[in-house]
Structure formats: structure tokens, C-alpha cells
Amino acid sequence: MSIWQCASLAISRAASLRQGGGNLPYFLDSNVLIGYYFHAADTWGTEAADVFEDPEPNHSSTGVWAECFGDGTGGRCRTIQQNLVREFRRAVAHLKRDGSADTLLAEAEAGEWKIVPLLRHVAELCREQPAAAHKKLLAVKEWYEELCQQRRSVLDDRETLALHARTEPYREIWNRFSAVIEDYDDCEVLLDAHDVAATIDGMVLYTGDYRHIVANRELILSETRLHDVRYLGDRTGGRPPAA
């Protein structure tokens, strides 16, 4: 079974698991949604997918959704998608200059391209057919885009990911958070999570933001109804915080 078939099965499994429910509901920060969506080309892809595919119910907010997908502007995901398209174009151009899949991979790794994991797969496919690099690259690009579309359809399913719209400003909590947390968008996310936790017991906030959120875990738990704050890096043995 190919990695693409495995990924497709995982997507179907994620949707079916939602129907079963769980006992520790999750509130997902933007880096979880983005990591799940772009998966192989995202820093937190594996960890985000693991969290999203847990049997616990997934929750987030309209604010987090707008950050990811925008309110008519496309949000962060549109920018990421444009960057990925640009990298694929550079990859095609490299091969057209009579480069090989191996030299392409070396260039991508040196430049820290996001699609490096996908290009590693291309290079592996070309071990026995080096002349087919361009064809393999286009096939991998098409497969990856299709998988992203499938993951987006899962995110769009409100039985899979419940979105909540906060109306309460929680000004006192905001003042305490904003005095310590310099990113105001993160303060808004915390208030969104608190608002959901006020009506759903046992809410766990999952995030890849160590500097602003995980590092202030004790403060957050003391000021909100959240049950816990958990770091994506802890899913794989405690990856060091991203810079």
C-alpha cells in the first residue's frame, strides 16, 4: 500500500472516529488545523494529524478559522499554498535544466523548502527510473494536492470540527493575558478556548506555540476553565520549541 493510500485511509478514519466521541474534548489552535491540512509539507504535520485523528471531539473557534482560511482573504493557508506552488515550480524548473531528482532534493534541502518530504518521495520513486523524474514530480504534486483537498473537506465538516463564535470580551482575563503575552492574537485564541471550556467540561487546548502559550501554561490554567494546555512537540518525545 502506497503512502498516499495510507494517508487517504487515515483521513477517512479521522472522520469516522469523530462520530464515536471521546472523553477529553480538544480545542485546536491554528497550527493544528494548518498542520493537519498541509501535513507532509508542514513542520507540525505528523503531530497535528495525530491530535486531529484522536477519538476526542475537536473544537475550535471562528477566530482561529479566520486566521487559517480568512474571511474573504484566504488567511494563512492561502499564503502557504502559494509558497508551495512556487516551490513546485522551482522544482520543475530544476529538472528542466537537466537536473536529477537527487540534485533537486539537495537544492531543496539546502534551501529548507517545505516540500522536501515530498521530493524525498520523488527521489525514491526515481531510483529505478531516473529519466522519469519530471513525470514522477508532477504525479506527486497532483497526489499531494488531492490529499490536501480531502483534508480540507474533513476540516469543513462541522461534525468533525465544531466551530464556536465568542461574543463575550472577558476584559479582565484579557488584561491579565495581554500584560504577559505579547502576541494579541494568541490572547484572543486563549479567550476563545476559555469560552468553549466554560460550557464543555474537560477541554484541552492543543497548540504548537510554545513561546506564547505553552510557556504560560500555569497562568492560563489559573485564569481559564481549560482542563489542560498541551504542546504538539510532546507528541513525539518532546520536540524542542520552534524558533
Side-chain angles (χ1 to χ4, degrees):
M1 182 180 292
S2 72
I3 62 170
W4 310 105
Q5 291 172 315
C6 291
S8 295
L9 287 174
I11 291 169
S12 300
R13 177 176 173 271
S16 64
L17 282 174
R18 298 297 130 230
Q19 310 307 317
N23 56 13
L24 279 177
Y26 291 162
F27 184 95
L28 306 180
D29 197 358
S30 58
N31 34 49
V32 182
L33 303 188
I34 291 171
Y36 175 79
Y37 182 25
F38 291 107
H39 197 219
D42 188 88
T43 302
W44 289 120
T46 299
E47 295 86 350
D50 285 346
V51 170
F52 196 89
E53 292 164 4
D54 275 350
E56 283 74 14
N58 288 328
H59 299 265
S60 195
S61 68
T62 54
V64 171
W65 186 267
E67 179 184 351
C68 295
F69 299 106
D71 49 4
T73 60
R76 288 173 58 191
C77 287
R78 180 176 177 81
T79 301
I80 294 169
Q81 194 170 39
Q82 290 173 334
N83 290 337
L84 293 177
V85 168
R86 190 175 299 114
E87 288 185 2
F88 272 116
R89 286 176 179 166
R90 291 175 65 184
V92 170
H94 180 101
L95 295 179
K96 285 183 176 179
R97 295 193 303 269
D98 296 324
S100 68
D102 287 330
T103 60
L104 169 59
L105 178 58
E107 178 181 334
E109 288 177 335
E112 298 183 342
W113 297 8
K114 292 293 187 181
I115 64 170
V116 163
L118 299 167
L119 296 182
R120 289 195 182 112
H121 186 55
V122 172
E124 184 62 32
L125 290 173
C126 292
R127 291 286 181 255
E128 297 180 1
Q129 295 179 299
H134 184 254
K135 181 178 179 180
K136 297 296 185 184
L137 172 63
L138 294 180
V140 167
K141 177 179 181 292
E142 182 179 346
W143 290 334
Y144 176 66
E145 290 173 344
E146 182 179 341
L147 287 172
C148 285
Q149 290 175 357
Q150 291 180 40
R151 289 178 180 277
R152 174 60 193 268
S153 69
V154 173
L155 291 170
D156 284 334
D157 182 356
R158 292 296 155 255
E159 291 188 4
T160 303
L161 175 66
L163 293 183
H164 304 264
R166 173 171 58 89
T167 57
E168 171 61 47
Y170 298 110
R171 290 188 180 87
E172 292 184 1
I173 302 177
W174 163 267
N175 289 337
R176 286 190 280 272
F177 283 163
S178 61
V180 176
I181 301 172
E182 61 188 32
D183 190 319
Y184 284 6
D185 287 339
D186 287 331
C187 293
E188 292 289 344
V189 170
L190 293 172
L191 295 181
D192 288 348
H194 167 65
D195 193 59
V196 179
T199 57
I200 301 177
D201 291 336
M203 187 64 61
V204 173
L205 168 62
Y206 252 110
T207 182
D209 188 328
Y210 188 93
R211 178 183 176 188
H212 297 126
I213 296 181
V214 179
N216 292 295
R217 180 177 179 273
E218 291 186 9
L219 171 65
I220 294 166
L221 293 181
S222 69
E223 296 290 341
T224 70
R225 293 285 299 276
L226 286 166
H227 175 74
D228 200 4
V229 173
R230 297 180 186 172
Y231 181 47
L232 284 176
D234 292 334
R235 301 285 294 197
T236 53
R239 183 196 298 188

